[in-house]
């Protein structure tokens, strides 16, 4: 009777971009900016420079739009999963669609290219094909992720070569 147990997991992580400002902080920043722009617009309008009021409103609208683009980018991510049978990397778009790459773990190599300005580009290599991961992480986070993946791959190799 074949063994129906699920494959053992050695690594399972979901990577997402860091966002320092939560919803409450966003609302506070927008309220402060809106209030300051309104007050400044009133002062300019009272001094006869009423066309300036529209530019203050435009500034607030552009900051709001920039924050919305930033938050939309935060919905993207990457899911990494190393099991006995495969290293799966799913790149999740802001719309929620996922592109999945499967690598045979035996042939996987993790490479950190320091590059210019200490950027630490992290690439997963297998059979001559490379896939960059964690581009939205800081250089130290990419190095840490590389170390964790190397450790998980080494653990998988050691478990597979142990006599049963």
């Amino acid at each position: 009777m074949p063994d129906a147990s699920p494959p053992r997991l050695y690594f399972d992580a979901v990577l997402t971009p860091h966002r320092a400002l939560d919803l409450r902080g966003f609302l506070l920043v927008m309220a402060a900016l809106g209030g300051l722009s309104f007050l400044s617009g009133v002062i300019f309008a009272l001094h006869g420079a009423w066309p300036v009021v529209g530019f203050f409103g435009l500034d607030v609208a552009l900051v709001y739009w920039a924050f919305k683009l930033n938050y939309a980018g935060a919905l993207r991510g990457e899911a990494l999963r190393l099991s006995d049978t495969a290293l799966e990397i799913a790149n999740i778009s802001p719309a929620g669609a996922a592109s999945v790459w499967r690598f045979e773990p035996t042939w996987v190599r993790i490479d950190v290219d320091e590059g210019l300005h200490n950027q630490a580009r992290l690439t997963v290599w297998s059979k001559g094909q490379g896939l960059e991961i964690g581009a939205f992480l800081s250089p130290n986070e990419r190095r840490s992720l590389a170390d964790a993946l190397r450790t998980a791959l080494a653990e998988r190799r050691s478990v597979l070569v142990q006599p049963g």
Side-chain angles (χ1 to χ4, degrees):
M1 191 166 172
D3 185 16
S5 64
R8 180 175 173 187
L9 277 182
Y10 298 93
F11 190 84
D12 191 10
V14 176
L15 311 175
T16 56
H18 175 70
R19 296 294 174 249
L21 199 60
D22 61 358
L23 179 60
R24 182 174 178 264
F26 167 72
L27 293 174
L28 287 172
V29 167
M30 289 307 297
L33 183 62
L36 185 63
S37 292
F38 177 76
L39 182 61
S40 299
V42 168
I43 291 170
F44 275 89
L46 290 175
H47 284 91
W50 57 268
V52 174
V53 174
F55 289 103
F56 281 115
L58 182 61
D59 285 348
V60 172
L62 287 174
V63 169
Y64 176 81
W65 177 72
F67 270 115
K68 286 300 180 183
L69 279 179
N70 183 274
Y71 283 118
L75 299 176
R76 64 181 272 217
E78 294 173 352
L80 289 77
R81 186 179 193 117
L82 174 63
S83 69
D84 288 326
T85 57
L87 171 62
E88 293 182 351
I89 300 172
N91 188 343
I92 303 155
S93 75
S99 301
V100 180
W101 289 268
R102 286 179 57 93
F103 299 98
E104 164 55 52
T106 306
W107 309 114
V108 168
R109 186 181 88 231
I110 307 298
D111 185 36
V112 179
D113 179 18
E114 292 298 332
L116 295 174
H117 308 293
N118 200 23
Q119 287 300 306
R121 187 173 159 182
L122 174 57
T123 308
V124 174
W125 290 95
S126 180
K127 298 181 181 180
Q129 300 292 327
L131 176 66
E132 184 179 356
I133 60 173
F136 49 80
L137 299 175
S138 72
N140 287 336
E141 289 171 326
R142 286 192 286 271
R143 286 185 203 95
S144 177
L145 175 60
D147 290 342
L149 281 171
R150 286 182 187 125
T151 301
L153 285 165
E155 179 186 353
R156 178 192 170 273
R157 286 184 194 109
S158 70
V159 167
L160 292 179
V161 297
Q162 287 178 356

